[in-house]
Amino acid sequence: MESLSKVFDFDTMIDLLGYPFVQQALLAAAALGLVSGCLAPLVVARKMSFAVHGTAELAFTGAAAALLVGASVGVGALAGAVVAALLLGLLGQKHSERDSVIGAILSFGLGVGVFLLWLNPERTANKFSLLVGQIVGVDSSDVLLLSGSAIVVLLVLAFVYRPLLFASVDPDVATARGVPTRVLTPLFAVLVGVATALGVYTVGALLVLALMVTPGAAAARVTASPVRATVLAVLFAEVAVLGGILLSLAPGAPVSAFVTIISFVIYLVCRAVGARRLAQASRAPVPA
């Protein structure tokens, strides 16, 4: 009960908000929420939830390698995620073999990451944070890296959004209409990879799905409009990641615990709302 009371210690929370590292973490989280919210509906539409998990494992591997050699964890995670995304996009072009490719890359990334952590006997807290997230390690240079990466992802996404949405909703018709799906698939995988790497800072490699998938799945339950789904997914992702950081401050608990809880509660609420709307629509009288 004492640990639970710390979660709602708002005085301590307000005091901690005055620290620069908390403010920097909130800025980084806001950028992550915006990017992940924009990508999440497309991830759900393209059925890439498993791919996000596989990408996160190689982001973890890249971060572990950077930690071992004393380089920037953010750059390492970004490099690992981009490599994973390119492998997934190039090797998983055929839908029939996509799951097996993801499984192979996921297990490879996790195995190499664990080995790299074993080679580094020190910095235990940093190693743990790669898996479950930690805001203490976010500094001003990390905020610049995260913000810059987020801007690049959003600009590229804005440029390819219409053909990408078309290819996500009906890939066969899109291919027949001349949409370059073979180019868009690895490109979108890279965008997802970059966004996934950004999530290593806050929610960690293991639970980044809470921002890259769950907001999009929740939004899809309450609207069929791509634009509304994107707006809702951004809102859900921001509430989850910023709320998760705020709730984690007083008890000093891992951010990912609160982010995933908030994200899942939002999903359950949207699922209930969607089910109620569907039931009301089925009971509505058919016009003569």
Side-chain angles (χ1 to χ4, degrees):
M1 293 298 294
E2 182 180 352
S3 299
L4 185 61
S5 65
K6 290 181 180 180
V7 176
F8 302 102
D9 186 354
F10 296 110
D11 291 336
T12 301
M13 180 190 302
I14 293 173
D15 289 340
L16 290 172
L17 285 174
Y19 286 85
F21 77 89
V22 175
Q23 298 167 2
Q24 292 163 357
L26 290 172
L27 290 174
L32 172 62
L34 179 59
V35 173
S36 60
C38 289
L39 293 176
L42 292 170
V43 170
V44 173
R46 297 175 70 88
K47 298 179 174 60
M48 289 182 61
S49 301
F50 190 35
V52 170
H53 187 46
T55 304
E57 301 304 342
L58 275 191
F60 158 70
T61 303
L67 190 63
L68 178 64
V69 300
S72 169
V73 172
V75 174
L78 202 58
V82 170
V83 170
L86 289 173
L87 290 174
L88 293 175
L90 296 174
L91 300 179
Q93 291 278 355
K94 295 182 179 179
H95 184 74
S96 58
E97 62 184 22
R98 190 170 299 164
D99 282 352
S100 60
V101 169
I102 296 171
I105 293 175
L106 187 155
S107 58
F108 167 75
L110 187 59
V112 173
V114 170
F115 179 69
L116 292 174
L117 289 185
W118 176 79
L119 291 176
N120 184 5
E122 299 180 353
R123 303 179 184 177
T124 305
N126 287 343
K127 293 191 288 185
F128 182 68
S129 69
L130 295 181
L131 298 174
V132 298
Q134 181 61 265
I135 63 172
V136 177
V138 179
D139 55 26
S140 57
S141 61
D142 294 327
V143 173
L144 291 176
L145 174 64
L146 295 172
S147 302
S149 301
I151 291 173
V152 171
V153 170
L154 292 175
L155 288 176
V156 175
L157 181 62
F159 184 73
V160 301
Y161 181 78
R162 289 179 65 86
L164 184 61
L165 178 63
F166 187 14
S168 302
V169 174
D170 198 334
D172 294 332
V173 175
T175 302
R177 292 287 184 88
V179 176
T181 54
R182 295 183 67 86
V183 175
L184 289 175
T185 297
L187 177 60
F188 182 67
V190 170
L191 296 181
V192 171
V194 173
T196 302
L198 304 184
V200 171
Y201 277 98
T202 50
V203 295
L206 292 181
L207 300 172
V208 73
L209 292 173
L211 292 178
M212 290 300 300
V213 176
T214 310
R221 288 286 177 174
V222 295
T223 182
S225 167
V227 175
R228 291 175 185 165
T230 301
V231 172
L232 287 175
V234 170
L235 176 62
F236 296 159
E238 293 287 5
V239 169
V241 69
L242 295 177
I245 288 178
L246 292 177
L247 290 177
S248 71
L249 291 178
V255 176
S256 57
F258 297 98
V259 173
T260 52
I261 290 171
I262 294 173
S263 188
F264 186 62
V265 169
I266 292 173
Y267 172 76
L268 291 179
V269 171
C270 290
R271 189 180 179 94
V273 171
R276 183 176 180 180
R277 287 183 177 178
L278 186 61
Q280 289 176 345
S282 64
R283 290 195 301 265
V286 179

